[in-house]
Amino acid sequence: MTSALVRPIALFALISAAGLLVSACTVSTNADPISSATTSSSPRATASTQTPTQTPTPTPTPTDTAGQNPPAAAPAVYTSCDTMMRAENFQRNRDRGWTAWDLVEQQTEPNGSVFDSFPGGRPAGTMACRYGAGPDVATDNVIDLTWAPIDAEQAAIYQAHLESQGFVRVDGAETVQYSVRGTDGWTDADGWAQTYDFTPTGLRWVAIRDELQLFAPLA
């Protein structure tokens, strides 16, 4: 009898324990949704607490303008009577015993400067070069080349003055020229005598128009 009673009691205890185990498993697999939510971060909470990213404003880089607008180069000028005439013509004169001298520099320019009648007088920097046997030789077998550096404002004033003196405008290929007719023996093949030739940076003068070709070009 004793062994038969113990077996049902033991079976009941085993069934009860199994029920508790099933109950415990049910609780652990169905956790409280509220508790679960508090341990995860919602998108709204993240958006409200996240610090916006600030895009740094780029600092302007200073522009180096040095060298982009270099100062204009000074106009080229003649530096001596040796360089005012074309090299080949100057050497030809040397070969026949001629020399060159500046009439303005030596204050031996006859009858004053060809620019003296201009408004304001002779331009600064004027060179009047004579090529011949020498300053002490009495002869008219010479070549005279006169030049002065001038600007556009002076050129306009001088051109108006030459027109008032009866000079005729005879444009060259790249220059503006004012010339007058001369007598036989003192003109070029077209009959032109003394001529003023206006270049972009200066004014040239010759006694006979075709002698302008004797000037050395300025760079």
Side-chain angles (χ1 to χ4, degrees):
M1 291 294 292
T2 303
S3 61
L5 180 63
V6 170
R7 186 176 295 125
I9 293 175
L11 180 61
F12 177 79
L14 181 61
I15 292 172
S16 298
L20 291 174
L21 180 61
V22 171
S23 176
C25 290
T26 302
V27 172
S28 62
T29 56
N30 294 279
D32 186 357
I34 296 177
S35 300
S36 174
T38 57
T39 59
S40 63
S41 26
S42 67
R44 181 176 300 176
T46 301
S48 62
T49 58
Q50 183 177 4
T51 303
T53 302
Q54 298 293 331
T55 303
T57 302
T59 303
T61 302
T63 302
D64 183 8
T65 58
Q68 292 185 2
N69 297 302
V77 298
Y78 294 112
T79 57
S80 70
C81 293
D82 292 2
T83 60
M84 185 182 289
M85 180 178 281
R86 287 183 178 274
E88 59 270 24
N89 297 102
F90 183 78
Q91 187 58 49
R92 189 176 300 120
N93 288 335
R94 279 288 179 88
D95 292 343
R96 63 177 176 172
W98 279 21
T99 186
W101 62 99
D102 188 341
L103 300 175
V104 174
E105 186 178 87
Q106 297 185 11
Q107 299 181 350
T108 58
E109 187 174 17
N111 303 319
S113 168
V114 295
F115 299 149
D116 280 348
S117 66
F118 285 176
R122 181 172 58 198
T126 295
M127 294 178 62
C129 295
R130 172 161 288 179
Y131 304 84
D136 301 326
V137 178
T139 177
D140 59 2
N141 186 21
V142 295
I143 297 174
D144 289 342
L145 302 179
T146 303
W147 170 85
I150 64 171
D151 56 28
E153 182 178 355
Q154 289 174 300
I157 294 173
Y158 295 163
Q159 289 174 17
H161 170 74
L162 290 171
E163 289 180 357
S164 71
Q165 298 298 306
F167 281 78
V168 179
R169 178 166 175 160
V170 186
D171 289 350
E174 298 179 354
T175 61
V176 175
Q177 299 175 6
Y178 283 82
S179 189
V180 292
R181 296 293 183 177
T183 58
D184 290 342
W186 292 97
T187 69
D188 62 12
D190 296 323
W192 296 109
Q194 63 170 322
T195 302
Y196 291 87
D197 183 42
F198 292 84
T199 72
T201 58
L203 174 59
R204 307 185 297 187
W205 176 91
V206 289
I208 300 174
R209 183 171 179 250
D210 64 3
E211 290 180 341
L212 287 170
Q213 63 186 322
L214 298 177
F215 276 95
L218 284 173

